[in-house]
Amino acid sequence: MPAHEGPGHRTYDAVIVGGGHNGLVAAAYLARAGRSVLVLERLDTTGGAAVSTRPFAGVDARLSRYSYLVSLLPKKIVRDLGLDFRIRGRTISSYTPVERDGRPTGLLVGGGERRTRDAFARLTGGDREYAAWQRLYGMTGRLAQRVFPTLTEPLPTRDELRRRVDDEDAWRMLFEEPIGVAIEENFTDDLVRGVVLTDALIGTFADAHDPSLAQNRCFLYHVIGGGTGAWDVPVGGMGALTDALAATAREAGAVLATGHEAVRIDTDGRAAEITYRTADTEGVVAARHVLVGASPQQLAALTGDEPPAPAEGAQLKVNMLLKRLPRLRDTSVDPREAFAGTFHIAEGYDQLAAAHAQAASGSLPAAPPSEIYCHSLTDPSILGRDLVEDGYQTLTLFGLHTPARLFERDNDAVREELLKATLAQLDGHLAEPLADCLATDADGRPCIEAKTPLDLERDLRLPGGNIFHRELTWPYAQDGTGRWGVETRHANVLLCGAGAVRGGGVSGVPGHNAAMAVLQGDAG
């Protein structure tokens, strides 16, 4: 990519603020439709949070740094844009270790129906929990087939979406009652309950019975992806997606100006001027439409509007490189299977409730919940040949119930304290300390990096470190959401990032929808 490519002329059909994956999706659609497009990206590279980097000095490991798995990216976008991008499924969905009756055991989900049923029976002593599991995920699977295609269509009304779902039990469970009600009605085993609940808490600080139903919206987006709910591995890492998007946009004629920060948007609803600055200068470009991939807070700062309510993230992100996978205390499970899916740590139902209560009171959870997966087991291409031959593996950890407010007193010290406590929870299920398995970089330092919500706010300008830019929304129209869910009070200024309706996650959906609003004449 040319360093700091600049605007080629002063007027464009569309200027896109932010070169994250959603901004690139919008740029590619518009440029392929013959529109002149300029992308202004503050950082030196495009990709935003969906990037791959080599974070460890002198080590040939290209890790997905902030976002890890793909579920919500519609195949329609990949096909429409002709992207050179592939995903691989995981044969194991999850493994959750636990100690029962003084012995290490766990629940392995995946590897075939019979194997999963047997794993439930060994853990719970019968078939009841597995039958309930099949019923619940059969219901969400049917719902996913009906809801997921609507994400790239004009927003349905609540009643239209309800008719499309056509299952009153599913509607009540997900759209009307706290998800904790359904979990407690359907399951009795604490560990099984916790595994179900985790999908409602990724990046969302809420209790199972939160009356706001923030946890339900999170659960919904985690079970509808692709119409199946599967979370797959991006071949080559997440940067492979944004590299493909950038190449497609550029080949179609879009100008990708990295190192260019938009600082102001002036608009009368029909035409706009965007002021930007670089390390050396300032400039102004004009556009018929402005699409903003930054957060709603940043949009308000650019236009001088009243900002929305503050957002708050609640996650710890940790990247690691290991010389080898650690052995497990539960010897009935091969570590290569346990870490290939999602490895749940301290995520029993009661543990999750306790962690939320402690964090809500202002304390770090005593047993921080988290989950891990190993990208390189499914896709070793992110590692250099020598690392693969020597058995090196990556681990990516996502911690829950760690709201940004907990780090405000001393981000560095609290990060270190939380990381230590989180890894201690993992070590409790290992037959050897994780520290003994960590690789070292060229300077002899352990290959591990951790990011708190405040780190994400600083590095990526995610408000409060919230990976969704703000609370996730229901995927239907409400007052003021507009036809596509990307509209703002300025007719020719659209949100095309995660803060749009139906935003959040690596999906490209807001970018697609903002482009459709322009191309179909709905905006400006």
Side-chain angles (χ1 to χ4, degrees):
M1 175 187 302
H4 302 307
E5 181 181 355
H9 47 92
R10 191 179 181 278
T11 303
Y12 292 83
D13 293 323
V15 168
I16 297 173
V17 176
H21 81 283
N22 279 307
L24 294 173
V25 166
Y29 270 105
L30 293 173
R32 285 166 65 94
R35 306 295 175 94
S36 59
V37 179
L38 169 67
V39 177
L40 297 173
E41 169 53 49
R42 173 179 63 92
L43 300 176
D44 289 339
T45 60
T46 56
V51 292
S52 297
T53 59
R54 290 180 171 83
F56 307 123
V59 180
D60 189 10
R62 191 167 184 262
L63 279 62
S64 300
R65 194 165 205 177
Y66 303 108
S67 52
Y68 312 124
L69 295 168
V70 174
S71 178
L72 292 163
L73 175 67
K75 292 180 181 178
K76 166 183 167 49
I77 292 177
V78 177
R79 289 194 305 265
D80 285 352
L81 300 181
L83 298 180
D84 181 14
F85 173 70
R86 294 175 295 126
I87 56 174
R88 284 185 191 152
R90 301 182 295 171
T91 57
I92 300 298
S93 175
S94 68
Y95 170 71
T96 310
V98 69
E99 187 169 301
R100 292 271 171 96
D101 300 322
R103 65 179 182 85
T105 183
L107 177 64
L108 187 76
V109 178
E113 182 178 341
R114 174 177 294 182
R115 191 173 182 197
T116 301
R117 183 192 304 115
D118 290 345
F120 270 85
R122 281 194 303 273
L123 179 73
T124 67
D127 295 328
R128 182 192 180 283
E129 297 294 273
Y130 181 63
W133 179 277
Q134 285 186 304
R135 285 195 304 273
L136 185 137
Y137 285 104
M139 178 187 292
T140 63
R142 292 187 294 274
L143 180 139
Q145 292 173 0
R146 297 165 185 176
V147 173
F148 188 69
T150 71
L151 299 188
T152 49
E153 299 171 358
L155 273 170
T157 66
R158 179 183 170 92
D159 287 343
E160 286 169 345
L161 188 65
R162 187 171 188 165
R163 286 194 294 272
R164 189 137 172 184
V165 168
D166 193 27
D167 184 331
E168 285 303 306
D169 289 337
W171 184 267
R172 183 179 67 254
M173 180 184 81
L174 284 176
F175 292 85
E176 295 184 350
E177 295 179 344
I179 192 68
V181 173
I183 292 173
E184 292 171 20
E185 285 180 350
N186 284 280
F187 303 100
T188 58
D189 187 271
D190 178 82
L191 192 73
V192 177
R193 285 179 169 182
V195 173
V196 177
L197 181 60
T198 57
D199 277 339
L201 304 178
I202 302 296
T204 299
F205 186 58
D207 181 72
H209 291 277
D210 194 309
S212 75
L213 303 189
Q215 73 280 25
N216 287 46
R217 296 190 292 276
C218 183
F219 186 88
L220 178 70
Y221 283 98
H222 277 86
V223 299
I224 63 172
T228 66
W231 286 80
D232 298 320
V233 176
V235 176
M238 199 62 79
L241 170 62
T242 45
D243 287 350
L245 284 168
T248 296
R250 189 180 289 108
E251 288 164 6
V255 177
L256 308 185
T258 57
H260 287 63
E261 180 182 3
V263 295
R264 182 174 172 179
I265 298 172
D266 294 294
T267 180
D268 62 6
R270 295 181 301 276
E273 287 192 337
I274 304 92
T275 303
Y276 66 86
R277 65 175 169 229
T278 69
D280 305 316
T281 188
E282 283 196 357
V284 178
V285 289
R288 171 75 189 279
H289 294 99
V290 185
L291 284 65
V292 178
S295 69
Q297 280 85 351
Q298 186 65 21
L299 171 61
L302 291 169
T303 57
D305 292 333
E306 185 72 21
E312 183 180 37
Q315 68 284 315
L316 176 74
K317 288 177 175 280
V318 184
N319 291 316
M320 295 173 267
L321 180 69
L322 307 186
K323 296 176 291 187
R324 65 180 186 281
L325 290 177
R327 292 176 288 111
L328 303 176
R329 291 182 62 213
D330 178 5
T331 57
S332 69
V333 179
D334 185 338
R336 294 181 65 86
E337 289 191 313
F339 287 105
T342 301
F343 190 113
H344 297 283
I345 307 162
E347 290 190 334
Y349 197 67
D350 288 347
Q351 288 176 306
L352 288 167
H356 179 268
Q358 289 164 352
S361 71
S363 301
L364 284 177
S370 63
E371 40 202 63
I372 288 178
Y373 102 101
C374 176
H375 182 120
S376 52
L377 284 170
T378 303
D379 169 35
S381 71
I382 63 170
L383 298 179
R385 182 185 300 273
D386 290 346
L387 296 180
V388 173
E389 291 177 352
D390 289 341
Y392 281 60
Q393 301 287 356
T394 63
L395 282 187
T396 297
L397 182 147
F398 192 106
L400 279 62
H401 286 337
T402 55
R405 69 193 81 158
L406 300 182
F407 301 88
E408 290 174 351
R409 62 178 174 85
D410 189 334
N411 186 47
D412 291 343
V414 177
R415 183 199 308 113
E416 192 62 30
E417 181 183 353
L418 177 61
L419 178 61
K420 182 178 179 181
T422 299
L423 296 183
Q425 290 299 311
L426 172 60
D427 276 349
H429 300 288
L430 304 181
E432 57 182 325
L434 181 71
D436 289 354
C437 303
L438 282 172
T440 53
D441 67 12
D443 299 317
R445 295 172 298 198
C447 290
I448 182 169
E449 67 163 10
K451 301 283 186 180
T452 71
L454 298 190
D455 295 326
L456 298 184
E457 182 173 52
R458 179 198 63 219
D459 295 346
L460 300 174
R461 294 196 178 169
L462 299 179
N466 191 306
I467 59 175
F468 307 129
H469 288 188
R470 60 179 176 184
E471 279 197 2
L472 290 168
T473 60
W474 295 115
Y476 53 70
Q478 300 183 70
D479 289 344
T481 54
R483 184 167 185 255
W484 286 96
V486 298
E487 295 81 355
T488 74
R489 79 177 192 88
H490 305 283
N492 64 339
V493 178
L494 304 173
L495 266 176
C496 70
V501 177
R502 302 181 291 189
V506 177
S507 72
V509 167
H512 168 277
N513 291 346
M516 293 306 105
V518 171
L519 295 175
Q520 295 183 13
D522 296 329

